[in-house]
Amino acid sequence: MHPVFITIIKRLGLGLVTLFVVSAIIFSSVSLLPGDFGEAVLGQAATEETVAAFREELGLDKPAVQRYFEWAGAILKGDLGTSFSGRSASGVDRSRSVAGMIAPRLKNTLFLAGVTAVIAVPLAIILGLSTALYRNSWYDRSINATTLTTISIPDFFIAYLLILVFASLWKVFPSLSTVDPSMLLGERLSRIALPTITLTLVIVAHMMRMTRAAIIGLLASPYIEMARLKGASRSEIILKHALPNAWAPIATVVAFNLAFLVVGVVVVEVVFVYPGIGQLMVDSVTSRDIPVVQACAMIFAGTYILLNLIADVIGIVTNPRLLHPR
Amino acid sequence: MSDPTQTPSGYAAAAEVGAVRKRRTWKERWWLALKKAPISAWFGMIVMLGYVIVALFAPLLAPHGEAEIFPTPYAVWDDTHILGTDQIGRDVMSRMVYGARNTMGIALVTTLLSFFIGGGLGLIAAINRSWLDQLLSRTTDVIMAIPSLIFALMLLSIFKPSVISLIFIIAVLDSTRVFRLTRSVAINVVVMDYVEAARLRGEKMSWIMRHEILPNIMPPMVAEFGLRFSFVFLTIAALSFLGVGIQPPTADWGSMVRENASLIQFAQYDLKAGITPLLPAAAIGLLTVAVNFVVDWFLHMTSGLRDEH
Amino acid sequence: MSIDNTQEDSQQDILLDMRNIRIEGFSDEQWHPIIKGVDLTLKRGQIMGLIGESGAGKSTLGLAAMGFARPGCRFTEGEVNFNGTDLLKLKEVERRKYWGTKIAYVAQSAAAAFNPAQRLIDQTIESANRMQLRPEAQSREDAVDLYKSLHLPDPGTIGERYPHQVSGGQLQRVMTAMAMSARPDLIIFDEPTTALDVTTQVEVLASMREIVEQHNTAAIYITHDLAVVAQMADVIKVLRYGEEVEQAQTRTMLTEPKEAYTRSLWSVRSLEKPEEAGDDIVLSMQDIHAAYGAVPVLQGININLPRGKTVAVVGESGSGKSTAARVITGLLPQSQGEVKFNGEVLPSQLKDRTPEQLRQIQMIYQMADTAMNPRQTVEKIIGRPLELYHNLSGAKKAARIDELLNMIELDESFLDRLPGELSGGQKQRICIARALAANPDVIICDEVTSALDQIVQEGILKLLLRLQQEFGISYLFITHDIATVKAISDEIVVMYQGKVVEQGLKSEILSPPHPEYTELLLSSVPDMDPDWLTNLLDSRVSSD
């Protein structure tokens, strides 16, 4: 078999192993719960029977390994368990399925992250390439200073500043990004304008700086000097000589920052009260609704692992040493 | 040649040109470096100094108590309450001052702990390079496969949010990054011939670590400390902002943003009230910008690396 | 400037005329002069050798011939007249039209100078294609012809490969083909064979010389190796500290250099220690096998080191000579065989050896830069073995450090210097002092002079010889350089692919008859004789 496939399969295998271990960590966090947890969820008035029933439902009486495989198996079938909220001391169970709670919110989060990525990725790569090309110019210096500031300040500061200017003082956009399924695309886009701008500012700053660094590192290679001495023009050097070698570093930068976006979404959703899974996770942490927290953590971690996996695969398929073995 | 050991005329080893630096004391060298520091670094250092002073002398500087409640919530800016009061009537100015002490103190302790764990294990892994290195490195890979804010949120849903659990959770999660850096920097030093020479001489591991490795990894580690501090600082602020970090009544900048957020709606009627929630956020931003400026300068100074021209 | 017969020739014959070139480089926030007003004139088809030690500015001057200054450098004065046009007066867009087509460049490290993501043939014809000198298909055919005339294997298909699929020597020849593709008037060769093994170097040199002669291309050949430049150049220019020392026809330069500096460069190669035989074996390796993981590196080697003598271990990269040193020191335990020191078997593992055993065998490294902790002063570097092995401290230690510094021809003003404040030669001397501080019986020298300039090398070799006379130290001297071997050794061990080809007295090994590999190795080492390469190639052809 071609070595590229072997390397990709190995990398996929590693990704699966990571996912497995991560899921085991997220699962086993339940075992760290203090003993009186049943009372805490069900309330002070809970009887011993209802607590025992609750513990049984959680499966705390079964061996951990068996519980893990039941849990993981259910996740693979799309069953994320049931929420802790809605339970009461009397044993009445009005809890909802976690999958049902997450599904609409996941769509919203993907929409927000997707719109941001569509704007941020090309913008960051263009800025990164152009600042690398004209490095130490006035243009480069001002972009660098701006992005260094943007990555240093907390994202909620940017968010509130935008609200202050564009929603409070000058009513261009709504300050709350409440959306519902009946909304049309245009309405939705206007609602998420401010969170998208906030996320874009943060992501572009990181991604642009990393792209710039990667390209400058590449331009210092002896083969780039050789290309110059062979008479290649600036654009030829970038397009013919640097770019074919830059896919791997750029893919890594993009994946890293999209993963970063996944995290940034949490804070931004809370600021703008946007109904996504970031906000759901924070609410569930506050109310200690463990099954929901676990499911959200699993989704975030899975996305993160997947993005890094894609970046590595791009790196593998663009590596001439692997593509053309000796 | 008559006598092969005869040195050629006009040649002396001691006369060879080496880049000799002027002898200077430690103080002189720092003063010289400071004099050459760019404006951004000066700005950063002055800001950091200001923050430290505020944090150290918080009880003297704050006009009121940290959790003292006054009758009027959301009071406007006036002489008694320079920056007004918050949603339950606490003096915002005082809470800003105490917030400096709490937020920075907790971030500092967390960063120190994270360096103690990550730095120590990183050094051991770099020197040992055996199954222990494998174990630590793979564990780090797995922990880093979960975004740290998400991991922290998950752990905070299990352990009740408190200053202690916050410090431990963030320190452990952040130590993975310190571990990676320490390990990679130290490995670059461990493979040097002078470390091999020390081993051949029969030096003990602890001597090699103290005399050969540590002095050579200090500059990147100091710079990393600054960067990790601002990262930890931002993470704690974000968690507090989300309501799962530092808990009331302890004043801290992240939760202050959250508590006063609704004031922003009144900006068009009273701009001062409108920017109140932005003040703690700006305080966070200013410090991290300052730290980044100083770290930039320090890296530039110690690495001697310069951008191409 | 020395007298040159260019003035007598008609102006049409002059291809390149560089006048009063001054170039500065930026470091430590300041501009420093690198080239301080050098003139250079080259006729069509002429090959000029530019020689000098590191920091002489020869690479910078070579690139300046293209009107190019590296990032961080700038021209401050001068003209680069190429075919009557001053390249420095042109805009970069215009200047670029000369690069790769009229003037081509061959870099030192071919492995780094080829784009890893493109096929060799596409890179070969890139310049010719850009200027549309001829149809692309024709350029491809021409490239194959060039590969053929450069004696590359499979010339028809080698161009379809990627850089990492081809060996270093072959890459260097492909790069020559790349330079030749647009049939330039001038090629700059920047240390093209420095990174190659000596047996590979000969072949590359021969094919380069052949092709430039064939096409009557002018060339500037930059190197620090006098014997190499003697084979390649018609005229030689010697540079030092960014200034011209002298210039002359190759034969004149070799036989009667005018300047003292040039003479001192020449004299280095004449150093030779009279050999002495010794029977008292201090260190011996007996049937040593060793491997890195599953890769066998040493396959049953035997080496004997007589007391107070020098055994030189020679071989090319990958021959296992440095691995032998690692086995002796205990860094790489052997899988089979014994290392005996003073008749006793040394434990194979470093950790099982006693401090006394460690003291008796010391090591000096190739790169003095990395062999000393950059954050320790000379005092601490030399003082540590004194504390550790001899329990010296205070005044006694200070006195001994002074004594050691004097032995290596330095003085106490060096005590509080850091390694970064020393020159290359001084660094290596401090390393020698550190080894001496242990009062060892044996010092293993691993390529200790190969990173140094020739004059400095000579100083170090003489110091080592003097110390041997005074203290009766035995050296195991690992090197790939035959001139160094001649200078220092009593006995020679030739290694090839993890085996000892032969061991014997210097005179025996260096005089025929030789085993096949020794013959190849010795015959590949260039002589200062300008006819050496021609004679060698003739003799190799006739013996085939």
Side-chain angles (χ1 to χ4, degrees):
Chain A
M1 205 170 16
H2 199 281
V4 166
F5 287 109
I6 298 172
T7 319
I8 290 178
I9 288 169
K10 274 188 194 158
R11 183 62 189 85
L12 289 176
L14 182 67
L16 277 179
V17 171
T18 315
L19 199 62
F20 169 76
V21 180
V22 164
S23 69
I25 291 176
I26 290 175
F27 169 78
S28 55
S29 58
V30 178
S31 339
L32 297 170
L33 285 174
D36 62 345
F37 188 74
E39 285 84 351
V41 169
L42 302 177
Q44 291 297 320
T47 60
E48 272 184 31
E49 291 89 72
T50 51
V51 172
F54 178 58
R55 288 182 64 87
E56 193 181 336
E57 193 199 319
L58 283 183
L60 292 178
D61 46 348
K62 287 186 229 163
V65 177
Q66 188 191 342
R67 267 190 292 138
Y68 169 73
F69 281 105
E70 284 174 12
W71 177 78
I75 285 188
L76 289 180
K77 283 185 233 145
D79 174 12
L80 301 173
T82 46
S83 160
F84 279 179
S85 64
R87 292 167 196 271
S88 64
S90 59
V92 178
D93 188 354
R94 281 191 220 91
S95 60
R96 302 162 55 196
S97 90
V98 176
M101 292 167 76
I102 284 182
R105 284 164 169 269
L106 181 60
K107 263 189 217 155
N108 287 341
T109 298
L110 288 178
F111 180 65
L112 174 61
V115 171
T116 309
V118 165
I119 301 170
V121 172
L123 186 62
I125 291 180
I126 290 169
L127 283 177
L129 284 176
S130 56
T131 46
L133 254 187
Y134 300 100
R135 62 178 177 280
N136 291 325
S137 67
W138 182 84
Y139 167 73
D140 177 34
R141 280 162 201 266
S142 53
I143 295 228
N144 257 312
T146 318
T147 51
L148 181 64
T149 320
T150 325
I151 55 176
S152 304
I153 55 183
D155 26 15
F156 53 83
F157 179 68
I158 302 178
Y160 281 121
L161 201 61
L162 289 173
I163 292 182
L164 180 74
V165 177
F166 294 107
S168 194
L169 293 177
W170 184 30
K171 294 188 187 302
V172 192
F173 296 114
S175 68
L176 296 186
S177 305
T178 43
V179 288
D180 63 68
S182 64
M183 275 180 192
L184 294 171
L185 185 66
E187 173 78 12
R188 263 173 186 267
L189 286 175
S190 129
R191 285 287 171 97
I192 65 162
L194 290 184
T196 307
I197 297 172
T198 311
L199 283 171
T200 305
L201 281 176
V202 177
I203 299 302
V204 164
H206 274 109
M207 210 183 316
M208 169 260 148
R209 290 175 75 86
M210 290 165 75
T211 310
R212 178 182 181 273
I215 297 293
I216 285 182
L218 211 64
L219 291 181
S221 316
Y223 63 82
I224 297 292
E225 180 178 274
M226 190 69 217
R228 282 193 73 185
L229 292 172
K230 280 162 75 182
S233 66
R234 224 170 235 242
S235 58
E236 269 180 298
I237 286 176
I238 294 289
L239 297 175
K240 268 181 70 182
H241 292 277
L243 218 49
N245 294 292
W247 291 123
I250 289 181
T252 313
V253 170
V254 170
F256 179 87
N257 285 285
L258 290 183
F260 193 79
L261 177 64
V262 167
V263 181
V265 147
V266 176
V267 172
V268 169
E269 282 182 1
V270 170
V271 174
F272 293 96
V273 202
Y274 182 75
I277 58 166
Q279 201 198 27
L280 175 66
M281 183 169 185
V282 174
D283 289 346
S284 310
V285 169
T286 318
S287 62
R288 309 189 75 193
D289 191 345
I290 306 295
V292 180
V293 174
Q294 280 181 327
C296 292
M298 214 40 229
I299 289 170
F300 279 123
T303 317
Y304 199 81
I305 293 169
L306 183 70
L307 285 169
N308 284 315
L309 186 70
I310 293 172
D312 284 357
V313 170
I314 292 177
I316 292 168
V317 298
T318 56
N319 183 342
R321 283 170 190 276
L322 287 172
L323 277 182
H324 315 284
R326 268 170 181 269
Chain B
M1 293 206 74
S2 51
D3 179 4
T5 63
Q6 178 99 49
T7 337
S9 57
Y11 171 80
E16 270 176 41
V17 192
V20 187
R21 275 180 314 207
K22 236 174 105 181
R23 295 289 121 195
R24 288 195 180 94
T25 64
W26 189 87
K27 263 191 207 159
E28 283 172 330
R29 257 181 286 155
W30 269 105
W31 179 237
L32 221 92
L34 279 178
K35 271 205 291 195
K36 278 208 274 181
I39 302 175
S40 61
W42 271 107
F43 168 79
M45 282 183 282
I46 291 170
V47 169
M48 280 166 70
L49 187 71
Y51 275 65
V52 170
I53 290 172
V54 171
L56 286 178
F57 301 104
L60 299 176
L61 294 170
H64 304 282
E66 181 178 2
E68 197 179 338
I69 297 174
F70 293 89
T72 353
Y74 290 139
V76 292
W77 296 18
D78 59 25
D79 291 344
T80 6
H81 303 293
I82 304 168
L83 299 176
T85 60
D86 69 2
Q87 86 282 13
I88 56 169
R90 291 172 298 197
D91 181 59
V92 173
M93 180 65 198
S94 307
R95 287 184 73 74
M96 285 285 288
V97 171
Y98 279 103
R101 171 180 268 203
N102 298 332
T103 317
M104 281 169 63
I106 290 170
L108 189 66
V109 171
T110 309
T111 317
L112 284 172
L113 185 62
S114 139
F115 265 72
F116 184 74
I117 303 171
L121 292 178
L123 269 183
I124 292 172
I127 295 181
N128 179 285
R129 305 304 307 274
S130 64
W131 60 271
L132 186 68
D133 179 24
Q134 280 299 315
L135 180 77
L136 288 169
S137 299
R138 295 294 83 77
T139 312
T140 315
D141 288 350
V142 169
I143 295 179
M144 288 175 79
I146 309 175
S148 60
L149 187 75
I150 301 299
F151 209 152
L153 279 173
M154 195 184 79
L155 292 176
L156 285 167
S157 73
I158 293 160
F159 305 103
K160 271 200 181 125
S162 73
V163 170
I164 300 295
S165 58
L166 194 65
I167 288 177
F168 269 96
I169 288 171
I170 307 286
V172 168
L173 293 181
D174 203 57
S175 68
T176 54
R177 279 152 226 276
V178 181
F179 170 84
R180 272 210 182 166
L181 181 92
T182 315
R183 181 178 171 275
S184 72
V185 174
I187 280 180
N188 285 337
V189 175
V190 167
V191 297
M192 286 293 186
D193 288 341
Y194 59 82
V195 176
E196 188 181 294
R199 286 174 57 204
L200 286 181
R201 200 156 66 220
E203 300 285 6
K204 296 203 170 51
M205 249 328 149
S206 61
W207 194 93
I208 293 181
M209 208 191 269
R210 274 179 294 123
H211 289 86
E212 309 283 356
I213 297 173
L214 265 182
N216 286 294
I217 65 170
M218 272 331 268
M221 295 299 286
V222 170
E224 184 68 6
F225 188 87
L227 294 179
R228 299 268 37 107
F229 171 79
S230 35
F231 187 79
V232 164
F233 185 70
L234 284 176
T235 308
I236 291 177
L239 287 171
S240 300
F241 170 75
L242 295 174
V244 293
I246 301 169
Q247 298 296 309
T250 310
D252 104 286
W253 292 336
S255 13
M256 284 176 72
V257 176
R258 173 197 185 78
E259 287 157 3
N260 296 314
S262 47
L263 276 176
I264 219 163
Q265 305 301 334
F266 305 108
Q268 49 181 330
Y269 313 111
D270 179 1
L271 186 61
K272 285 180 186 164
I275 64 166
T276 307
L278 287 179
L279 292 176
I284 295 167
L286 187 61
L287 179 62
T288 38
V289 171
V291 171
N292 272 321
F293 279 164
V294 176
V295 167
D296 252 22
W297 166 65
F298 180 81
L299 276 177
H300 186 85
M301 202 175 62
T302 52
S303 67
L305 286 177
R306 62 209 149 78
D307 232 10
E308 278 183 61
H309 289 265
Chain C
M1 194 175 151
S2 62
I3 299 155
D4 193 299
N5 43 11
T6 33
Q7 279 92 338
E8 296 156 25
D9 292 295
S10 65
Q11 287 296 312
Q12 274 78 15
D13 264 7
I14 290 177
L15 177 67
L16 176 73
D17 185 22
M18 298 169 74
R19 294 201 178 272
N20 192 24
I21 298 295
R22 287 175 193 275
I23 298 175
E24 292 180 344
F26 195 79
S27 64
D28 297 327
E29 318 281 313
Q30 260 179 309
W31 289 98
H32 300 277
I34 299 176
I35 302 289
K36 305 164 185 167
V38 175
D39 295 339
L40 190 153
T41 313
L42 195 65
K43 289 185 286 182
R44 277 180 200 286
Q46 194 181 31
I47 301 179
M48 175 183 285
L50 267 187
I51 64 166
E53 299 176 289
S54 55
K58 47 193 194 304
S59 261
T60 312
L61 188 63
L63 286 169
M66 306 179 78
F68 180 83
R70 285 219 161 99
C73 299
R74 64 175 187 195
F75 287 92
T76 50
E77 232 186 295
E79 292 171 26
V80 179
N81 295 306
F82 181 82
N83 260 340
T85 316
D86 184 357
L87 295 181
L88 297 185
K89 288 219 173 69
L90 296 178
K91 289 199 177 115
E92 190 176 320
V93 186
E94 290 300 312
R95 216 181 303 159
R96 238 183 251 145
K97 290 183 183 156
Y98 285 81
W99 296 348
T101 44
K102 301 239 168 54
I103 314 173
Y105 178 73
V106 174
Q108 174 171 0
S109 167
F114 272 108
N115 188 329
Q118 286 180 11
R119 292 180 194 278
L120 292 172
I121 195 154
D122 295 331
Q123 302 191 52
T124 307
I125 62 170
E126 186 185 339
S127 296
N129 249 3
R130 179 178 305 114
M131 301 305 285
Q132 295 177 329
L133 298 179
R134 46 182 119 82
E136 180 170 336
Q138 214 177 317
S139 286
R140 286 184 184 273
E141 279 170 30
D142 176 67
V144 172
D145 289 341
L146 286 171
Y147 295 155
K148 212 176 285 170
S149 53
L150 283 158
H151 309 290
L152 279 159
D154 311 319
T157 54
I158 195 167
E160 299 305 313
R161 300 203 208 162
Y162 286 82
H164 66 273
Q165 296 172 314
V166 177
S167 77
Q170 291 170 2
L171 269 188
Q172 205 56 269
R173 277 184 264 179
V174 175
M175 193 176 301
T176 308
M178 179 162 90
M180 199 48 94
S181 169
R183 297 295 182 278
D185 297 321
L186 170 65
I187 300 184
I188 317 286
F189 290 98
D190 191 353
E191 306 243 16
T193 61
T194 307
L196 303 178
D197 269 330
V198 66
T199 49
T200 321
Q201 167 173 282
V202 175
E203 297 161 13
V204 175
L205 281 180
S207 48
M208 279 178 182
R209 194 174 74 174
E210 193 183 326
I211 201 148
V212 289
E213 279 172 0
Q214 203 178 337
H215 295 276
N216 194 31
T217 315
I220 294 179
Y221 195 98
I222 300 162
T223 182
H224 66 279
D225 191 330
L226 302 163
V228 166
V229 84
Q231 309 314 313
M232 301 298 290
D234 304 322
V235 288
I236 293 178
K237 189 194 274 293
V238 182
L239 290 179
R240 191 185 197 193
Y241 304 141
E243 284 170 290
E244 176 177 321
V245 176
E246 63 178 311
Q247 173 176 335
Q249 298 291 321
T250 301
R251 279 172 204 281
T252 323
M253 187 69 112
L254 291 177
T255 47
E256 37 197 305
K258 287 197 183 61
E259 301 294 321
Y261 174 70
T262 319
R263 273 199 298 276
S264 72
L265 282 178
W266 270 223
S267 74
V268 175
R269 298 202 156 233
S270 56
L271 178 66
E272 188 164 346
K273 179 195 178 187
E275 72 180 21
E276 290 168 46
D279 305 325
D280 180 11
I281 302 299
V282 59
L283 182 79
S284 70
M285 301 180 83
Q286 297 174 354
D287 190 31
I288 296 288
H289 289 255
Y292 287 118
V295 187
V297 187
L298 296 180
Q299 301 170 21
I301 63 162
N302 294 290
I303 294 176
N304 289 317
L305 175 59
R307 191 179 305 280
K309 303 286 175 286
T310 304
V311 172
V313 182
V314 285
E316 301 184 355
S317 51
S319 62
K321 55 191 195 302
S322 288
T323 310
R326 292 179 70 79
V327 169
I328 296 172
T329 54
L331 286 167
L332 180 73
Q334 68 269 31
S335 53
Q336 196 184 316
E338 285 176 343
V339 179
K340 282 190 176 168
F341 181 77
N342 280 336
E344 282 173 40
V345 176
L346 280 178
S348 61
Q349 298 267 4
L350 178 63
K351 62 175 169 28
D352 299 330
R353 298 195 181 171
T354 64
E356 186 58 14
Q357 286 169 331
L358 294 176
R359 180 189 68 76
Q360 283 159 334
I361 303 176
Q362 291 292 312
M363 172 122 176
I364 309 174
Y365 293 83
Q366 173 176 10
M367 305 302 290
D369 277 315
T370 58
M372 287 186 289
N373 189 333
R375 293 183 186 268
Q376 291 178 358
T377 59
V378 166
E379 185 176 13
K380 181 162 183 187
I381 292 169
I382 304 181
R384 182 61 195 169
L386 298 176
E387 293 168 13
L388 195 70
Y389 296 131
H390 307 296
N391 264 325
L392 292 184
S393 60
K396 275 191 185 163
K397 186 173 96 175
R400 178 68 182 147
I401 292 175
D402 281 357
E403 203 180 332
L404 286 164
L405 278 176
N406 289 331
M407 273 182 213
I408 56 165
E409 294 151 21
L410 298 178
D411 54 53
E412 50 275 17
S413 69
F414 285 82
L415 280 178
D416 60 351
R417 285 206 202 172
L418 292 171
E421 300 169 284
L422 302 171
S423 72
Q426 289 164 351
K427 281 179 203 162
Q428 200 56 284
R429 281 165 192 267
I430 300 296
C431 289
I432 293 172
R434 174 172 68 183
L436 280 181
N439 290 345
D441 294 348
V442 173
I443 297 182
I444 300 171
C445 303
D446 189 359
E447 303 268 11
V448 291
T449 55
S450 55
L452 300 172
D453 285 329
Q454 304 224 1
I455 293 187
V456 182
Q457 276 189 23
E458 187 189 16
I460 296 283
L461 291 177
K462 286 181 175 174
L463 171 67
L464 286 171
L465 288 174
R466 207 194 72 217
L467 294 171
Q468 184 166 55
Q469 283 177 4
E470 279 180 39
F471 304 105
I473 304 168
S474 323
Y475 297 129
L476 190 72
F477 206 96
I478 295 162
T479 183
H480 67 276
D481 182 34
I482 301 294
T484 311
V485 171
K486 283 180 186 158
I488 195 147
S489 67
D490 297 293
E491 290 189 21
I492 299 178
V493 173
V494 181
M495 285 189 68
Y496 182 59
Q497 294 186 344
K499 291 186 177 131
V500 169
V501 180
E502 53 178 336
Q503 168 162 14
L505 284 171
K506 174 160 61 180
S507 54
E508 291 166 13
I509 301 287
L510 292 182
S511 48
H514 303 297
E516 195 184 339
Y517 176 72
T518 314
E519 171 65 37
L520 177 68
L521 185 68
L522 291 177
S523 72
S524 301
V525 179
D527 266 349
M528 296 283 273
D529 172 12
D531 297 323
W532 170 83
L533 184 59
T534 317
N535 295 341
L536 174 72
L537 294 176
D538 289 349
S539 73
R540 283 193 184 171
V541 168
S542 60
S543 66
D544 273 346

